[in-house]
């Protein structure tokens, strides 16, 4: 076993984690002692990774119910599909800045309603990783190289293109290839790609295997950057700010509970992810923050426009509808 950045990883770690990404979807409904009349029904969609752990804990520990919410959680594998589902299938759905902004530019009335996780220097979750003996020593060496990305239009790849441009590399010079996180290590080892955009816990496992990180591309956008968060249908959000407040308050209380009872939180992570207990104990958790502000999205508007991926004018104040 090797330790990387204070995190220990065992052999086969990434392979075990891949199990959590291959689970078939199932819906989890909240049981509460209160009557349905007293509770506000809320449907939420998430991706089955540790980013969304607070919602699982809030569900299992009755914290949502304490705040008057009868919550149903549904796992979804593809974030990019979720903006079109809010208002019809879900009140809250997992998203990222690029997915939201592109949906808004496409004419959807979708808004950011609550935060979830931020990227900070003290707890990075994303790394661009290369082979130790691959001849790539810095960002500048990525010119003309093949880079594996989870999603071509996703926030991690957009951040990588922005990071390359800031470091003098023409983003158009690289060749991006979509590769699922669990398969990135094999593609890198085989030489099919020169670098990978890896998210924790896969990033730590790759580094523990002898590969090298060139840095966290998300932090090219700022020292503290909005990453995943919750979105809602705009019309619903504007009419239901008290529900959004209850959602944020419940998640905030849950974060305190997780800090006080880390064993409980890890057990719930194991339950929802179905990962082995030893793996669950090593999964790094992101930095959570459940409030959200328009200026946090303004950063990503600027990044997309700088890359030529956004031409529409978007009023940052209008795409955030959150707690009063």
């Amino acid at each position: 076993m090797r330790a990387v950045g204070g995190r220990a990883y065992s052999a086969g770690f990434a392979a075990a984690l891949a199990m959590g990404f291959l689970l078939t979807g199932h819906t989890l409904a909240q049981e509460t002692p209160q009557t349905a009349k007293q509770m506000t029904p809320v449907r939420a969609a998430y991706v089955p990774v540790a980013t969304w752990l607070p919602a699982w804990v809030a569900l299992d520990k009755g914290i949502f119910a304490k705040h008057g919410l009868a919550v149903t959680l549904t796992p979804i594998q593809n974030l990019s599909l979720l903006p079109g589902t809010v208002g019809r299938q879900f009140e809250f759905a997992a998203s990222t800045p690029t997915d939201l902004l592109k949906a808004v530019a496409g004419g959807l009335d979708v808004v950011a309603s609550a935060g979830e996780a931020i990227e900070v220097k003290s707890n990075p979750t994303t790394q661009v990783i290369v082979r130790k003996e691959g001849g790539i020593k810095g960002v500048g060496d990525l010119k003309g190289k093949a880079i594996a990305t989870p999603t071509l239009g996703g926030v991690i790849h957009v951040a990588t293109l922005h990071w390359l441009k800031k470091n003098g590399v023409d983003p158009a010079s690289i060749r991006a290839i979509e590769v699922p996180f669990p398969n990135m290590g094999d593609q890198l080892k085989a030489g099919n790609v020169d670098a990978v955009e890896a998210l924790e816990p896969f990033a730590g496992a790759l580094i523990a295997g002898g590969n090298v990180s060139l840095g966290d591309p998300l932090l090219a956008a700022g020292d503290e950057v909005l990453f995943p968060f919750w979105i809602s249908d705009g019309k619903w959000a504007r009419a239901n700010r008290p529900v959004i407040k209850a959602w944020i308050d419940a998640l905030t209380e849950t974060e305190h509970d997780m800090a006080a009872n880390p064993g409980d939180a890890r057990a719930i992570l194991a339950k929802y992810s179905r990962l082995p207990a030893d793996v669950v104990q090593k999964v790094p958790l992101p930095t959570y923050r459940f409030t959200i502000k328009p200026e946090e999205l303004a950063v990503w508007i600027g990044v997309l426009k700088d890359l030529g991926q956004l031409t529409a004018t978007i009023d940052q104040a209008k795409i955030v509808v959150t707690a009063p």
Side-chain angles (χ1 to χ4, degrees):
M1 182 168 300
R2 301 180 61 181
V4 181
R7 297 162 178 164
Y9 299 86
S10 59
F13 181 69
L17 284 161
M19 295 166 57
F21 284 77
L22 299 176
L23 296 176
T24 57
H26 61 284
T27 299
L28 302 153
Q30 177 139 22
E31 296 180 2
T32 79
Q34 302 187 46
T35 66
K37 185 176 180 180
Q38 293 173 307
M39 306 290 287
T40 300
V42 171
R43 303 161 300 172
Y46 68 93
V47 176
V49 293
T51 302
W52 311 99
L53 176 60
W56 307 343
V57 176
L59 182 75
D60 278 25
K61 287 202 160 188
I63 298 174
F64 278 138
K66 178 181 174 182
H67 289 267
L69 304 177
V71 173
T72 300
L73 296 179
T74 300
I76 300 292
Q77 297 297 331
N78 192 337
L79 275 175
S80 65
L81 301 177
L82 288 176
T85 67
V86 290
R88 295 196 299 272
Q89 293 174 254
F90 304 108
E91 280 68 55
F92 293 99
S95 194
T96 67
T98 53
D99 288 312
L100 171 64
L101 292 170
K102 290 177 181 179
V104 171
L108 292 180
D109 182 14
V110 185
V111 298
S113 51
E116 181 68 16
I118 57 173
E119 191 79 350
V120 294
K121 285 185 176 180
S122 60
N123 186 28
T125 65
T126 306
Q127 306 285 338
V128 172
I129 294 173
V130 298
R131 294 185 302 278
K132 186 176 182 180
E133 305 302 329
I136 299 174
K137 304 300 182 183
V139 183
D141 296 328
L142 290 173
K143 181 179 180 180
K145 303 299 185 181
I147 301 179
T149 179
T151 311
L152 289 174
V155 66
I156 294 176
H157 189 57
V158 167
T160 298
L161 298 178
H162 177 63
W163 175 64
L164 290 169
K165 187 173 181 179
K166 284 189 69 173
N167 283 276
V169 177
D170 180 2
S173 73
I174 64 106
R175 180 165 56 93
I177 303 170
E178 286 193 346
V179 178
F181 287 124
N183 303 125
M184 286 184 177
D186 290 340
Q187 294 298 308
L188 186 64
K189 183 177 180 180
N192 295 330
V193 295
D194 302 294
V196 299
E197 300 167 4
L199 180 69
E200 288 288 7
F202 299 99
L206 285 169
I207 294 170
N211 299 293
V212 178
S213 171
L214 298 182
D216 183 341
L218 288 165
L219 295 175
D223 292 340
E224 186 176 286
V225 185
L226 180 67
F227 196 13
F229 53 90
W230 297 99
I231 60 172
S232 300
D233 172 72
K235 183 178 179 180
W236 179 88
R238 290 185 286 271
N240 290 276
R241 287 180 186 263
V243 178
I244 297 173
K245 184 178 188 306
W247 180 264
I248 292 173
D249 288 348
L251 292 177
T252 301
E253 181 178 335
T254 299
E255 184 181 20
H256 296 317
D257 184 272
M258 289 168 57
N261 304 285
D264 291 353
R266 294 283 174 175
I268 291 171
L269 176 59
K271 170 187 172 182
Y272 280 74
S273 67
R274 298 184 186 179
L275 295 172
D278 61 329
V279 172
V280 165
Q281 296 306 314
K282 303 178 185 73
V283 174
L285 300 181
T287 300
Y288 296 111
R289 188 171 70 199
F290 305 109
T291 56
I292 192 164
K293 299 177 181 179
E295 51 265 35
E296 293 178 293
L297 281 165
V299 170
W300 289 104
I301 291 173
V303 167
L304 286 170
K305 286 194 171 184
D306 183 59
L307 292 171
Q309 294 191 18
L310 181 67
T311 57
T313 299
I314 296 178
D315 186 341
Q316 66 201 50
K318 291 183 178 180
I319 59 172
V320 175
V321 180
T322 188

